């Protein structure tokens, strides 16, 4: 993760589909982050759901972007995954979730328009299940705190706060 001090706004974008169990992790995490980061200046938290290209505006306006989503990396369910900058597939990369193609297009469009955030980090969790269901699996629910801590640490790292 990058440790350059950031005074500008940090945008946290949770994406996911809350109808397919662990696919909704990016949305389920946002209330924890809103509570934990309420005293931190210049942090915007956006519930992106599966909005695809409608997220181009928030991505292009972001100077420092944290994306939270389910990431299918072929690992054990509940595994926390982080990707930095070019590790995040911006186009024609691995399909990391059922709506990912739409978001890959958003990142590609922002790059093509030369309005890509200065810093981008993606945090996610390996789904245990993508079956129909509005709750996270027990495995993934138990790891929400760990995922939240990873995001909070990144925000503080960018803010240079100990």
């Amino acid at each position: 993760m990058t440790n350059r001090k950031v005074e500008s706004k940090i945008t946290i974008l949770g994406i996911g589909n809350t109808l397919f169990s662990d696919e909704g992790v990016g949305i389920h995490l946002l209330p924890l982050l809103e509570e934990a980061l309420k005293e931190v200046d210049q942090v915007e938290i956006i519930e992106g759901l599966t909005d695809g290209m409608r997220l181009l505006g928030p991505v292009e306006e972001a100077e420092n972007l944290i994306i939270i989503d389910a990431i299918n990396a072929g690992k054990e369910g509940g595994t926390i995954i982080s990707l930095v900058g070019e590790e995040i597939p911006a186009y024609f990369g691995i399909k990391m979730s059922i709506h990912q193609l739409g978001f890959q297009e958003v990142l590609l469009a922002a790059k093509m328009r030369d309005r890509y955030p200065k810093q981008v980090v993606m945090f996610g969790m390996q789904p245990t299940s993508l079956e129909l269901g509005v709750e996270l699996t027990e495995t993934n629910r138990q790891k929400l705190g760990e995922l939240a801590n990873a995001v909070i640490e990144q925000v503080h790292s960018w803010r240079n706060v100990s």
Side-chain angles (χ1 to χ4, degrees), residues 27-90:
I27 304 304
H28 289 287
L29 188 66
L30 296 184
L32 294 174
L33 295 176
E34 286 169 351
E35 179 62 27
L37 296 170
K38 65 184 176 189
E39 303 295 324
V40 180
D41 291 335
Q42 297 274 48
V43 172
E44 179 182 25
I45 297 176
I46 299 172
E47 184 177 283
L49 296 170
T50 59
D51 286 347
M53 287 305 282
R54 286 182 291 225
L55 296 173
L56 183 60
V59 167
E60 287 186 339
E61 291 166 12
E63 294 180 64
N64 307 284
L65 178 64
I66 296 173
I67 306 159
I68 306 159
D69 195 7
I71 299 176
N72 184 1
K75 300 194 180 288
E76 185 178 332
T79 301
I80 307 299
I81 299 154
S82 65
L83 304 168
V84 179
E86 295 303 316
E87 293 175 342
I88 302 167

Side-chain angles (χ1 to χ4, degrees), residues 15 67 69-73 81-97 99-109 111 116 120-123:
I15 56 179
I67 306 159
D69 195 7
I71 299 176
N72 184 1
I81 299 154
S82 65
L83 304 168
V84 179
E86 295 303 316
E87 293 175 342
I88 302 167
Y91 56 94
F92 307 124
I94 58 171
K95 189 172 182 194
M96 297 191 303
S97 65
H99 62 271
Q100 189 65 36
L101 185 59
F103 196 71
Q104 286 175 336
E105 291 168 348
V106 168
L107 295 177
L108 175 60
K111 274 189 177 182
Y116 201 73
V120 182
V121 176
M122 183 172 193
F123 290 98

Side-chain angles (χ1 to χ4, degrees), residues 13-33 67-72 78-80 97 99 122-130 133-137 139-145 147-148 151:
L13 176 61
I15 56 179
N17 189 331
T18 55
L19 298 178
F20 293 99
S21 196
D22 294 336
E23 169 63 15
V25 71
I27 304 304
H28 289 287
L29 188 66
L30 296 184
L32 294 174
L33 295 176
I67 306 159
I68 306 159
D69 195 7
I71 299 176
N72 184 1
T79 301
I80 307 299
S97 65
H99 62 271
M122 183 172 193
F123 290 98
M125 188 184 300
Q126 174 71 42
T128 300
S129 170
L130 296 176
V134 295
E135 299 293 327
L136 296 175
T137 59
T139 300
N140 288 52
R141 189 183 61 71
Q142 289 181 357
K143 295 283 195 150
L144 272 182
L147 182 57
V151 174

